[in-house]
Amino acid sequence: MVDQATGHAHIMLGEWREATECLDRAVETFRERTQEMQEVGYCESHAALSLQFTGQARELAPRAHELLRASTQRAHPYARGFARGVLGHLVYLVDDRHEEAWEQLELYREQAPWGFQAHIQNYVSQITALMRYRGEVEDAWELCEQRSPEIVKFDLLRAPHPRAEFLFWYAQNALAMAQRTSDNARLLKLARTKGKRLLSFPTAYRQAYGHLTLAGVAPVSYTHLRAHETGRNL
C-alpha cells in the first residue's frame, strides 16, 4: 500500500519514472502477498499511464498489450479502458497505424465504465488528439465543446494532475481550430487563458504545458494580425 500511495503521489508531481517504479513494486507485492487483483489492475493501469508520459512507446507496447489481455481475462473494465487508451493514443501511432488506434479508442468508448470521471476525460483527450492527427480539427473542436462543460464540473479536476491535463488538451483543440478560421479571436483568447493558468501551477511539467500553449498562440495571433493589416492596406 505504501508503494501504491507513493506511486500516485509521484504522478501528481509529474515524476513519471518514479511513479512507474513504485507502482510496479506495488503490483509485485499485491501478487505475492494478497492476490488482490483489483488493486493489481489499478496499479498496472496507472503505471502504464505514467510510462506513456515519458514517450517510451516501444517499452510501453508489450505492457499495454499484456494489460489489455489480463484485464479482459480478469473482467477488470477500469484497467481494460486504460489499456485501450494507451494503445490508441501512443503505441499504434508510433508506426502511423491510425486506423488501429481509432479502433482501440472506439472500443474504449464502448466498453469503459463511464461512471469513472477519469475515463471520460481520458477518452475525450485522446480521441480529440487522434482527430487532430487525422486532420479532423473541426470534429475535434466540436467534441471538445460538447463534452467540456460536463468535464469541467468533475470533482476529479480538483486534483492538480487531471486539472492540468484538461487545460492543456482543451487549449490544443482551441489552437488547432484557430488555425482553420480567420475569425479566431475567441479561440486564441481561450487558449491564452488556459496557457496562463497552466503557468500558475507549481510543478515544472505543468508550467511547460503553459509555455507550449502560449508559444502556439503567438504565431497564430501574429499571422492573423498581419493578415488583417494587409487587408486593411489593400
Side-chain angles (χ1 to χ4, degrees), residues 155-209:
D155 290 338
L156 176 76
L157 296 196
R158 295 180 182 181
H161 172 64
R163 186 164 69 250
E165 293 303 311
F166 169 77
L167 292 171
F168 187 55
W169 66 255
Y170 187 101
Q172 296 310 300
N173 281 302
L175 273 175
M177 190 62 196
Q179 297 179 62
R180 291 292 183 94
T181 176
S182 59
D183 186 18
N184 58 12
R186 171 178 169 266
L187 294 163
L188 291 171
K189 182 178 180 181
L190 285 169
R192 189 180 295 110
T193 299
K194 300 292 188 287
K196 289 180 178 179
R197 286 182 64 186
L198 285 162
L199 289 179
S200 69
F201 283 79
T203 47
Y205 94 91
R206 292 174 188 129
Q207 292 173 8
Y209 277 179

Side-chain angles (χ1 to χ4, degrees), residues 8-9 17 100-101 106 117 121 125 148 172 185 234:
H8 288 118
R17 281 290 180 183
E100 291 171 82
E106 282 297 289
Q117 295 177 356
Q121 148 127 310
S125 168
S148 59
Q172 296 310 300
L234 289 176

Side-chain angles (χ1 to χ4, degrees), residues 87-88 92 97-105 130 134:
L87 288 169
Y92 285 144
R97 296 157 61 186
H98 62 86
E99 292 297 339
E100 291 171 82
W102 185 271
E103 181 183 359
Q104 287 299 322
L105 293 182
L130 183 54
R134 289 157 56 109

